[in-house]
Amino acid sequence: MRTGVVAVLLLCTAGARAQDVTVEELMRAQDDALRGASSTGTMTMRVKTARWERSLTMQSWSEGTEKTLVRILAPAKEKGTATLKVEGNIWNYLPKVDRTIKVPGSMMGGSWMGSHFTNDDLVREARYSEDFTCAFVEKPDGKTRDHWVIDCTPRPNAPVVWGRVRLAIRAVDKLADRIDYLDEKGARVRTLVFSEFTTLGGRKLARMMRMVPADKPDEFTEVHQDDLAFDVKLPADTFTLQALKK
Amino acid sequence: MEAVGRCVTAAAARSRVTTGGMQAAGRWWLAATLLLAPAPARAVDLWTSSHGGAEAGGDVKTFLVGVRPRPHPLLPSEPSGRAALDLRLKLSAHVGEWLRVSLHPNLVATAGAGGGLGGLAASARVGDPPEGVSLSRNLLESSAVRVRLRLDRAAVTLHLPHVDLTAGRQPVSFGATFFFTPMDIVAPFTPLVVDREYKPGVDALRGDVYIGTSTTVTAVAAYAGGWDLEGLVFAARAGTTLGVFDVGFFAAEARAEQVLGVDVAGELLGTAVRAEATVTVPVDREKSFLRGALGLDRRFESGLTLMGELYVQTFGAASADRYLEQARDPRYARGEAWALGRYYAAVSAGYELLPVLNTAVAVIANLGDPSLAVGPSLTWSVSDEAVVVAGLYTPVGAPPDREPTGDPARPVRLRSEFGTMPQSAFLQMKAYF
């Protein structure tokens, strides 16, 4: 999920140039925003439910969607715990016992760190342009409608657990500000809302995203991008077990 | 009874306090916990600059462990209890990305008898490894209370391109399995240790060489009780990733014994697979033995996580009536081994009741006796920085014979390993700053 958070935030920086784009171009542009881009940043995640609240601060380094290193900065209980993802391999480092643990993808299901994101969000690398069939539901008309609304249905055998994904993309800057995740019966399961659009790391993006489960609308998980830099030159050993343990 | 070393009968006898003493330990734990509850949970940046920084953090833990022996004429009859307050300060400083210094002083106060609950009863934390350089001091020692200061970490790490060098007191872990860890020969945990999230450091020199993403070569020289060959451990592991599997090869000269091993971690048919095995050639070159563990983990859509391990150690006793002799093997006194038999299995089922409330049940079985220990537990994440854990271990298995043998070397005939174990319950509070 941590890499998923990074990926989703990067996704929100996508911006197609042309006004009259096809759905394929729009979705490919969003996918391409992830490819090859290196970034580093700090983010804070806040989980709120009716009975409790938690927060987590993380530092991340990424290169495209294939390589990510995330280190927890706070709370103190988790501080120093780090996750390295390189292509299909994931390792966790537990500094208190000096142990590097290989984490198989099959163990990554369920909620991540008690949040409304799942570990599946972290490890899946679905691409809209390859793993979904997308179609416009609405287009901006320059008057009352100021979003593209796009429905994306997973292709057979795509690594996607949703029945359908609906994106609302702002006409003003081609940034998604809402993604609804629906089950196979078409019922909304959760909604990801983006806000605080600003320029960060030289790109316009949503600084905040909030995941709200449909069955518990009073609960949410927010991820706030504290700082972010793109196209940074990362040391060659950034995505190695040596860096994981630093 | 002292002769049986880490056998539970002796452990319980060493730590025996009266029922009143157990209540006193409980009151002591409660007082310590209440005193700690309002403690601020903030790490402190001691120094920050473009060249480096220094910070202080730590944790405070309180433990209450109660032990109730099985009714038996030859075992201690009184319940016993122990409370502990464990305060750890974590100081670290770094210069750029290339030098890091860690210092973790640890103050432990225990109420109850002087010895540990060790053996087959639940114990709060793993025993302190031997120190090549004495960095511990008993600040107070009486029949009721003991206060000990120890440096759990005192290490300097030099980060060079592709190489890390660490000197000093540091944690050392080898292997891929969780319950049974044959490759973790320096200072292993036992499954009955309540607090396994922090490993006390050993005095060691360590070098790690990194090639590419996940190919590593690690070499460690660690103090293990003496400055001669029989008191040192020299270990090396080379590991890499092959497809979706991490594979490692291990070789060690440990306390003058030669150890060769292999470990594997990966995924097969949607199931996590972990395995490690070692062959040990003893000093006398006779009776080489195998220790091997195979673990499978699976997480289900419902949130249920199952972990299972099978373990074999060919140096274990072939039958229960040999356990007392087996317990005299110095490997048990050193904490290098804890299981007395040959064939074991362990299963753990974990389920998230709420994001802040987790329940788990662990079962550790001696397949030879047969006997087992069942350990349910509940973990409540009170806040970002505080956790409360409660649990117990219940034995299932044949208790020792009720009649004494009359043999001083074997005063009681054991009929199963975990059937000898007392019931134990624990309550732990952890706060981090």
Side-chain angles (χ1 to χ4, degrees), chain A residues 16-49:
Chain A
R17 294 283 193 274
Q19 187 65 31
D20 295 321
V21 293
T22 65
V23 68
E24 289 78 14
E25 288 169 337
L26 198 56
M27 304 317 290
R28 194 179 305 118
Q30 303 210 28
D31 286 333
D32 288 346
L34 307 175
R35 181 173 285 174
S38 63
S39 70
T40 178
T42 308
M43 66 188 90
T44 300
M45 182 174 80
R46 186 165 72 100
V47 186
K48 173 119 179 24
T49 72

PDB file of all heavy atoms in Angstrom, chain A residues 16-49:
ATOM      1  N   ALA A  16      -2.873  15.365 -19.479  1.00  0.00           N
ATOM      2  CA  ALA A  16      -2.861  15.308 -20.931  1.00  0.00           C
ATOM      3  C   ALA A  16      -2.877  16.713 -21.479  1.00  0.00           C
ATOM      4  O   ALA A  16      -3.511  17.598 -20.915  1.00  0.00           O
ATOM      5  CB  ALA A  16      -4.079  14.533 -21.417  1.00  0.00           C
ATOM      6  N   ARG A  17      -2.191  16.915 -22.581  1.00  0.00           N
ATOM      7  CA  ARG A  17      -2.067  18.260 -23.142  1.00  0.00           C
ATOM      8  C   ARG A  17      -3.309  18.641 -23.956  1.00  0.00           C
ATOM      9  O   ARG A  17      -3.829  19.727 -23.857  1.00  0.00           O
ATOM     10  CB  ARG A  17      -0.828  18.352 -24.018  1.00  0.00           C
ATOM     11  CG  ARG A  17       0.482  18.199 -23.234  1.00  0.00           C
ATOM     12  CD  ARG A  17       0.806  19.484 -22.482  1.00  0.00           C
ATOM     13  NE  ARG A  17       2.161  19.492 -21.979  1.00  0.00           N
ATOM     14  CZ  ARG A  17       2.539  18.970 -20.833  1.00  0.00           C
ATOM     15  NH1 ARG A  17       1.660  18.335 -20.063  1.00  0.00           N
ATOM     16  NH2 ARG A  17       3.795  19.046 -20.418  1.00  0.00           N
ATOM     17  N   ALA A  18      -3.790  17.704 -24.754  1.00  0.00           N
ATOM     18  CA  ALA A  18      -4.860  18.053 -25.690  1.00  0.00           C
ATOM     19  C   ALA A  18      -6.204  18.139 -24.969  1.00  0.00           C
ATOM     20  O   ALA A  18      -6.463  17.420 -24.025  1.00  0.00           O
ATOM     21  CB  ALA A  18      -4.944  17.014 -26.802  1.00  0.00           C
ATOM     22  N   GLN A  19      -7.053  19.046 -25.453  1.00  0.00           N
ATOM     23  CA  GLN A  19      -8.369  19.199 -24.844  1.00  0.00           C
ATOM     24  C   GLN A  19      -9.272  18.049 -25.231  1.00  0.00           C
ATOM     25  O   GLN A  19     -10.006  17.521 -24.401  1.00  0.00           O
ATOM     26  CB  GLN A  19      -8.972  20.532 -25.276  1.00  0.00           C
ATOM     27  CG  GLN A  19     -10.261  20.891 -24.572  1.00  0.00           C
ATOM     28  CD  GLN A  19     -10.036  21.106 -23.093  1.00  0.00           C
ATOM     29  OE1 GLN A  19      -8.968  21.546 -22.683  1.00  0.00           O
ATOM     30  NE2 GLN A  19     -11.045  20.767 -22.283  1.00  0.00           N
ATOM     31  N   ASP A  20      -9.220  17.649 -26.500  1.00  0.00           N
ATOM     32  CA  ASP A  20     -10.103  16.578 -26.965  1.00  0.00           C
ATOM     33  C   ASP A  20      -9.332  15.282 -27.024  1.00  0.00           C
ATOM     34  O   ASP A  20      -8.926  14.818 -28.095  1.00  0.00           O
ATOM     35  CB  ASP A  20     -10.672  16.928 -28.347  1.00  0.00           C
ATOM     36  CG  ASP A  20     -11.562  18.159 -28.262  1.00  0.00           C
ATOM     37  OD1 ASP A  20     -12.300  18.280 -27.254  1.00  0.00           O
ATOM     38  OD2 ASP A  20     -11.492  18.985 -29.165  1.00  0.00           O
ATOM     39  N   VAL A  21      -9.118  14.698 -25.926  1.00  0.00           N
ATOM     40  CA  VAL A  21      -8.344  13.463 -25.900  1.00  0.00           C
ATOM     41  C   VAL A  21      -9.284  12.278 -25.960  1.00  0.00           C
ATOM     42  O   VAL A  21     -10.449  12.362 -25.579  1.00  0.00           O
ATOM     43  CB  VAL A  21      -7.497  13.378 -24.613  1.00  0.00           C
ATOM     44  CG1 VAL A  21      -6.424  14.428 -24.592  1.00  0.00           C
ATOM     45  CG2 VAL A  21      -8.390  13.486 -23.386  1.00  0.00           C
ATOM     46  N   THR A  22      -8.744  11.168 -26.427  1.00  0.00           N
ATOM     47  CA  THR A  22      -9.510   9.925 -26.366  1.00  0.00           C
ATOM     48  C   THR A  22      -9.322   9.337 -24.988  1.00  0.00           C
ATOM     49  O   THR A  22      -8.387   9.700 -24.254  1.00  0.00           O
ATOM     50  CB  THR A  22      -9.010   8.923 -27.414  1.00  0.00           C
ATOM     51  OG1 THR A  22      -7.666   8.548 -27.067  1.00  0.00           O
ATOM     52  CG2 THR A  22      -9.042   9.533 -28.809  1.00  0.00           C
ATOM     53  N   VAL A  23     -10.212   8.404 -24.647  1.00  0.00           N
ATOM     54  CA  VAL A  23     -10.099   7.802 -23.331  1.00  0.00           C
ATOM     55  C   VAL A  23      -8.792   7.022 -23.211  1.00  0.00           C
ATOM     56  O   VAL A  23      -8.147   6.989 -22.145  1.00  0.00           O
ATOM     57  CB  VAL A  23     -11.338   6.920 -23.017  1.00  0.00           C
ATOM     58  CG1 VAL A  23     -11.370   5.678 -23.909  1.00  0.00           C
ATOM     59  CG2 VAL A  23     -11.358   6.536 -21.563  1.00  0.00           C
ATOM     60  N   GLU A  24      -8.383   6.390 -24.319  1.00  0.00           N
ATOM     61  CA  GLU A  24      -7.134   5.632 -24.289  1.00  0.00           C
ATOM     62  C   GLU A  24      -5.952   6.562 -24.013  1.00  0.00           C
ATOM     63  O   GLU A  24      -5.064   6.244 -23.223  1.00  0.00           O
ATOM     64  CB  GLU A  24      -6.912   4.888 -25.611  1.00  0.00           C
ATOM     65  CG  GLU A  24      -7.848   3.712 -25.848  1.00  0.00           C
ATOM     66  CD  GLU A  24      -9.234   4.152 -26.309  1.00  0.00           C
ATOM     67  OE1 GLU A  24      -9.386   5.326 -26.700  1.00  0.00           O
ATOM     68  OE2 GLU A  24     -10.172   3.331 -26.254  1.00  0.00           O
ATOM     69  N   GLU A  25      -5.946   7.695 -24.686  1.00  0.00           N
ATOM     70  CA  GLU A  25      -4.846   8.648 -24.474  1.00  0.00           C
ATOM     71  C   GLU A  25      -4.837   9.163 -23.042  1.00  0.00           C
ATOM     72  O   GLU A  25      -3.786   9.302 -22.414  1.00  0.00           O
ATOM     73  CB  GLU A  25      -4.986   9.827 -25.445  1.00  0.00           C
ATOM     74  CG  GLU A  25      -4.655   9.470 -26.881  1.00  0.00           C
ATOM     75  CD  GLU A  25      -5.059  10.588 -27.853  1.00  0.00           C
ATOM     76  OE1 GLU A  25      -5.948  11.399 -27.506  1.00  0.00           O
ATOM     77  OE2 GLU A  25      -4.470  10.622 -28.934  1.00  0.00           O
ATOM     78  N   LEU A  26      -6.020   9.408 -22.525  1.00  0.00           N
ATOM     79  CA  LEU A  26      -6.115   9.940 -21.173  1.00  0.00           C
ATOM     80  C   LEU A  26      -5.606   8.931 -20.144  1.00  0.00           C
ATOM     81  O   LEU A  26      -4.838   9.266 -19.233  1.00  0.00           O
ATOM     82  CB  LEU A  26      -7.576  10.313 -20.884  1.00  0.00           C
ATOM     83  CG  LEU A  26      -7.853  11.249 -19.718  1.00  0.00           C
ATOM     84  CD1 LEU A  26      -7.083  12.546 -19.862  1.00  0.00           C
ATOM     85  CD2 LEU A  26      -9.349  11.537 -19.627  1.00  0.00           C
ATOM     86  N   MET A  27      -6.016   7.677 -20.313  1.00  0.00           N
ATOM     87  CA  MET A  27      -5.601   6.673 -19.345  1.00  0.00           C
ATOM     88  C   MET A  27      -4.123   6.331 -19.517  1.00  0.00           C
ATOM     89  O   MET A  27      -3.404   6.099 -18.540  1.00  0.00           O
ATOM     90  CB  MET A  27      -6.451   5.391 -19.490  1.00  0.00           C
ATOM     91  CG  MET A  27      -7.954   5.619 -19.362  1.00  0.00           C
ATOM     92  SD  MET A  27      -8.447   6.736 -18.036  1.00  0.00           S
ATOM     93  CE  MET A  27      -8.072   5.760 -16.605  1.00  0.00           C
ATOM     94  N   ARG A  28      -3.662   6.308 -20.742  1.00  0.00           N
ATOM     95  CA  ARG A  28      -2.241   6.012 -20.983  1.00  0.00           C
ATOM     96  C   ARG A  28      -1.372   7.121 -20.391  1.00  0.00           C
ATOM     97  O   ARG A  28      -0.321   6.872 -19.821  1.00  0.00           O
ATOM     98  CB  ARG A  28      -1.969   5.847 -22.475  1.00  0.00           C
ATOM     99  CG  ARG A  28      -0.610   5.206 -22.770  1.00  0.00           C
ATOM    100  CD  ARG A  28      -0.370   5.031 -24.262  1.00  0.00           C
ATOM    101  NE  ARG A  28      -1.439   4.289 -24.910  1.00  0.00           N
ATOM    102  CZ  ARG A  28      -2.214   4.763 -25.872  1.00  0.00           C
ATOM    103  NH1 ARG A  28      -2.043   5.997 -26.323  1.00  0.00           N
ATOM    104  NH2 ARG A  28      -3.156   4.021 -26.418  1.00  0.00           N
ATOM    105  N   ALA A  29      -1.862   8.323 -20.532  1.00  0.00           N
ATOM    106  CA  ALA A  29      -1.099   9.444 -19.980  1.00  0.00           C
ATOM    107  C   ALA A  29      -0.972   9.322 -18.470  1.00  0.00           C
ATOM    108  O   ALA A  29       0.074   9.624 -17.893  1.00  0.00           O
ATOM    109  CB  ALA A  29      -1.786  10.759 -20.341  1.00  0.00           C
ATOM    110  N   GLN A  30      -2.046   8.851 -17.861  1.00  0.00           N
ATOM    111  CA  GLN A  30      -1.971   8.681 -16.413  1.00  0.00           C
ATOM    112  C   GLN A  30      -1.028   7.541 -16.048  1.00  0.00           C
ATOM    113  O   GLN A  30      -0.244   7.637 -15.094  1.00  0.00           O
ATOM    114  CB  GLN A  30      -3.376   8.428 -15.852  1.00  0.00           C
ATOM    115  CG  GLN A  30      -4.297   9.585 -16.232  1.00  0.00           C
ATOM    116  CD  GLN A  30      -5.391   9.835 -15.218  1.00  0.00           C
ATOM    117  OE1 GLN A  30      -5.235   9.548 -14.045  1.00  0.00           O
ATOM    118  NE2 GLN A  30      -6.482  10.409 -15.688  1.00  0.00           N
ATOM    119  N   ASP A  31      -1.086   6.456 -16.808  1.00  0.00           N
ATOM    120  CA  ASP A  31      -0.140   5.366 -16.556  1.00  0.00           C
ATOM    121  C   ASP A  31       1.292   5.828 -16.763  1.00  0.00           C
ATOM    122  O   ASP A  31       2.191   5.506 -15.972  1.00  0.00           O
ATOM    123  CB  ASP A  31      -0.423   4.193 -17.508  1.00  0.00           C
ATOM    124  CG  ASP A  31      -1.678   3.426 -17.112  1.00  0.00           C
ATOM    125  OD1 ASP A  31      -2.024   3.441 -15.920  1.00  0.00           O
ATOM    126  OD2 ASP A  31      -2.293   2.808 -17.996  1.00  0.00           O
ATOM    127  N   ASP A  32       1.510   6.583 -17.813  1.00  0.00           N
ATOM    128  CA  ASP A  32       2.879   6.988 -18.142  1.00  0.00           C
ATOM    129  C   ASP A  32       3.468   7.950 -17.127  1.00  0.00           C
ATOM    130  O   ASP A  32       4.679   8.127 -17.046  1.00  0.00           O
ATOM    131  CB  ASP A  32       2.931   7.629 -19.542  1.00  0.00           C
ATOM    132  CG  ASP A  32       2.754   6.586 -20.629  1.00  0.00           C
ATOM    133  OD1 ASP A  32       2.863   5.385 -20.304  1.00  0.00           O
ATOM    134  OD2 ASP A  32       2.480   6.964 -21.777  1.00  0.00           O
ATOM    135  N   ALA A  33       2.594   8.571 -16.363  1.00  0.00           N
ATOM    136  CA  ALA A  33       3.105   9.460 -15.324  1.00  0.00           C
ATOM    137  C   ALA A  33       3.918   8.669 -14.309  1.00  0.00           C
ATOM    138  O   ALA A  33       4.772   9.216 -13.602  1.00  0.00           O
ATOM    139  CB  ALA A  33       1.955  10.165 -14.632  1.00  0.00           C
ATOM    140  N   LEU A  34       3.655   7.368 -14.217  1.00  0.00           N
ATOM    141  CA  LEU A  34       4.375   6.528 -13.264  1.00  0.00           C
ATOM    142  C   LEU A  34       5.668   5.983 -13.832  1.00  0.00           C
ATOM    143  O   LEU A  34       6.612   5.698 -13.114  1.00  0.00           O
ATOM    144  CB  LEU A  34       3.495   5.342 -12.862  1.00  0.00           C
ATOM    145  CG  LEU A  34       2.106   5.680 -12.342  1.00  0.00           C
ATOM    146  CD1 LEU A  34       1.340   4.396 -12.116  1.00  0.00           C
ATOM    147  CD2 LEU A  34       2.197   6.475 -11.056  1.00  0.00           C
ATOM    148  N   ARG A  35       5.677   5.808 -15.139  1.00  0.00           N
ATOM    149  CA  ARG A  35       6.788   5.088 -15.736  1.00  0.00           C
ATOM    150  C   ARG A  35       8.055   5.942 -15.783  1.00  0.00           C
ATOM    151  O   ARG A  35       8.056   7.040 -16.309  1.00  0.00           O
ATOM    152  CB  ARG A  35       6.406   4.640 -17.152  1.00  0.00           C
ATOM    153  CG  ARG A  35       7.475   3.873 -17.855  1.00  0.00           C
ATOM    154  CD  ARG A  35       6.984   3.310 -19.157  1.00  0.00           C
ATOM    155  NE  ARG A  35       6.114   2.155 -18.957  1.00  0.00           N
ATOM    156  CZ  ARG A  35       5.462   1.549 -19.953  1.00  0.00           C
ATOM    157  NH1 ARG A  35       5.570   1.992 -21.174  1.00  0.00           N
ATOM    158  NH2 ARG A  35       4.718   0.503 -19.704  1.00  0.00           N
ATOM    159  N   GLY A  36       9.117   5.385 -15.240  1.00  0.00           N
ATOM    160  CA  GLY A  36      10.422   6.027 -15.377  1.00  0.00           C
ATOM    161  C   GLY A  36      10.642   7.206 -14.456  1.00  0.00           C
ATOM    162  O   GLY A  36      11.751   7.673 -14.310  1.00  0.00           O
ATOM    163  N   ALA A  37       9.601   7.674 -13.800  1.00  0.00           N
ATOM    164  CA  ALA A  37       9.791   8.842 -12.939  1.00  0.00           C
ATOM    165  C   ALA A  37      10.413   8.414 -11.624  1.00  0.00           C
ATOM    166  O   ALA A  37       9.993   7.445 -11.017  1.00  0.00           O
ATOM    167  CB  ALA A  37       8.446   9.510 -12.682  1.00  0.00           C
ATOM    168  N   SER A  38      11.417   9.155 -11.201  1.00  0.00           N
ATOM    169  CA  SER A  38      11.969   8.913  -9.872  1.00  0.00           C
ATOM    170  C   SER A  38      11.434   9.993  -8.949  1.00  0.00           C
ATOM    171  O   SER A  38      11.190  11.127  -9.370  1.00  0.00           O
ATOM    172  CB  SER A  38      13.496   8.942  -9.912  1.00  0.00           C
ATOM    173  OG  SER A  38      13.948  10.217 -10.294  1.00  0.00           O
ATOM    174  N   SER A  39      11.250   9.631  -7.715  1.00  0.00           N
ATOM    175  CA  SER A  39      10.725  10.615  -6.778  1.00  0.00           C
ATOM    176  C   SER A  39      11.187  10.278  -5.375  1.00  0.00           C
ATOM    177  O   SER A  39      11.560   9.135  -5.081  1.00  0.00           O
ATOM    178  CB  SER A  39       9.196  10.655  -6.822  1.00  0.00           C
ATOM    179  OG  SER A  39       8.664   9.486  -6.268  1.00  0.00           O
ATOM    180  N   THR A  40      11.157  11.273  -4.550  1.00  0.00           N
ATOM    181  CA  THR A  40      11.388  11.058  -3.126  1.00  0.00           C
ATOM    182  C   THR A  40      10.510  12.035  -2.366  1.00  0.00           C
ATOM    183  O   THR A  40      10.275  13.156  -2.838  1.00  0.00           O
ATOM    184  CB  THR A  40      12.876  11.244  -2.767  1.00  0.00           C
ATOM    185  OG1 THR A  40      13.028  11.056  -1.355  1.00  0.00           O
ATOM    186  CG2 THR A  40      13.382  12.623  -3.131  1.00  0.00           C
ATOM    187  N   GLY A  41      10.007  11.599  -1.236  1.00  0.00           N
ATOM    188  CA  GLY A  41       9.110  12.483  -0.495  1.00  0.00           C
ATOM    189  C   GLY A  41       8.773  11.927   0.871  1.00  0.00           C
ATOM    190  O   GLY A  41       9.188  10.838   1.252  1.00  0.00           O
ATOM    191  N   THR A  42       8.010  12.724   1.569  1.00  0.00           N
ATOM    192  CA  THR A  42       7.548  12.337   2.898  1.00  0.00           C
ATOM    193  C   THR A  42       6.040  12.488   2.944  1.00  0.00           C
ATOM    194  O   THR A  42       5.500  13.461   2.404  1.00  0.00           O
ATOM    195  CB  THR A  42       8.173  13.255   3.978  1.00  0.00           C
ATOM    196  OG1 THR A  42       9.579  13.272   3.797  1.00  0.00           O
ATOM    197  CG2 THR A  42       7.857  12.753   5.377  1.00  0.00           C
ATOM    198  N   MET A  43       5.374  11.528   3.543  1.00  0.00           N
ATOM    199  CA  MET A  43       3.919  11.603   3.628  1.00  0.00           C
ATOM    200  C   MET A  43       3.454  11.171   5.007  1.00  0.00           C
ATOM    201  O   MET A  43       4.144  10.426   5.702  1.00  0.00           O
ATOM    202  CB  MET A  43       3.274  10.746   2.546  1.00  0.00           C
ATOM    203  CG  MET A  43       3.499   9.274   2.704  1.00  0.00           C
ATOM    204  SD  MET A  43       2.902   8.324   1.287  1.00  0.00           S
ATOM    205  CE  MET A  43       4.350   8.306   0.258  1.00  0.00           C
ATOM    206  N   THR A  44       2.287  11.684   5.377  1.00  0.00           N
ATOM    207  CA  THR A  44       1.696  11.322   6.666  1.00  0.00           C
ATOM    208  C   THR A  44       0.330  10.706   6.425  1.00  0.00           C
ATOM    209  O   THR A  44      -0.488  11.270   5.701  1.00  0.00           O
ATOM    210  CB  THR A  44       1.550  12.564   7.562  1.00  0.00           C
ATOM    211  OG1 THR A  44       2.849  13.120   7.777  1.00  0.00           O
ATOM    212  CG2 THR A  44       0.946  12.197   8.916  1.00  0.00           C
ATOM    213  N   MET A  45       0.141   9.554   7.003  1.00  0.00           N
ATOM    214  CA  MET A  45      -1.141   8.867   6.857  1.00  0.00           C
ATOM    215  C   MET A  45      -1.911   8.963   8.170  1.00  0.00           C
ATOM    216  O   MET A  45      -1.341   8.739   9.238  1.00  0.00           O
ATOM    217  CB  MET A  45      -0.913   7.394   6.505  1.00  0.00           C
ATOM    218  CG  MET A  45      -2.199   6.621   6.286  1.00  0.00           C
ATOM    219  SD  MET A  45      -1.922   4.936   5.695  1.00  0.00           S
ATOM    220  CE  MET A  45      -1.496   4.125   7.226  1.00  0.00           C
ATOM    221  N   ARG A  46      -3.179   9.295   8.080  1.00  0.00           N
ATOM    222  CA  ARG A  46      -4.017   9.382   9.282  1.00  0.00           C
ATOM    223  C   ARG A  46      -5.231   8.480   9.080  1.00  0.00           C
ATOM    224  O   ARG A  46      -5.924   8.581   8.065  1.00  0.00           O
ATOM    225  CB  ARG A  46      -4.467  10.823   9.502  1.00  0.00           C
ATOM    226  CG  ARG A  46      -5.228  11.029  10.805  1.00  0.00           C
ATOM    227  CD  ARG A  46      -5.325  12.513  11.141  1.00  0.00           C
ATOM    228  NE  ARG A  46      -6.247  13.226  10.275  1.00  0.00           N
ATOM    229  CZ  ARG A  46      -7.491  13.554  10.612  1.00  0.00           C
ATOM    230  NH1 ARG A  46      -7.953  13.228  11.794  1.00  0.00           N
ATOM    231  NH2 ARG A  46      -8.268  14.217   9.773  1.00  0.00           N
ATOM    232  N   VAL A  47      -5.433   7.593  10.011  1.00  0.00           N
ATOM    233  CA  VAL A  47      -6.569   6.673   9.953  1.00  0.00           C
ATOM    234  C   VAL A  47      -7.557   7.082  11.028  1.00  0.00           C
ATOM    235  O   VAL A  47      -7.186   7.222  12.192  1.00  0.00           O
ATOM    236  CB  VAL A  47      -6.122   5.216  10.200  1.00  0.00           C
ATOM    237  CG1 VAL A  47      -7.292   4.258   9.991  1.00  0.00           C
ATOM    238  CG2 VAL A  47      -4.956   4.847   9.307  1.00  0.00           C
ATOM    239  N   LYS A  48      -8.802   7.284  10.641  1.00  0.00           N
ATOM    240  CA  LYS A  48      -9.813   7.718  11.610  1.00  0.00           C
ATOM    241  C   LYS A  48     -11.009   6.784  11.535  1.00  0.00           C
ATOM    242  O   LYS A  48     -11.556   6.530  10.463  1.00  0.00           O
ATOM    243  CB  LYS A  48     -10.256   9.156  11.278  1.00  0.00           C
ATOM    244  CG  LYS A  48     -11.417   9.653  12.110  1.00  0.00           C
ATOM    245  CD  LYS A  48     -11.032  10.855  12.912  1.00  0.00           C
ATOM    246  CE  LYS A  48     -12.157  11.439  13.751  1.00  0.00           C
ATOM    247  NZ  LYS A  48     -13.244  10.592  14.129  1.00  0.00           N
ATOM    248  N   THR A  49     -11.387   6.261  12.672  1.00  0.00           N
ATOM    249  CA  THR A  49     -12.628   5.496  12.775  1.00  0.00           C
ATOM    250  C   THR A  49     -13.429   6.086  13.926  1.00  0.00           C
ATOM    251  O   THR A  49     -12.989   7.032  14.577  1.00  0.00           O
ATOM    252  CB  THR A  49     -12.366   3.998  13.050  1.00  0.00           C
ATOM    253  OG1 THR A  49     -11.913   3.856  14.398  1.00  0.00           O
ATOM    254  CG2 THR A  49     -11.318   3.424  12.110  1.00  0.00           C
TER     255      THR A  49
END
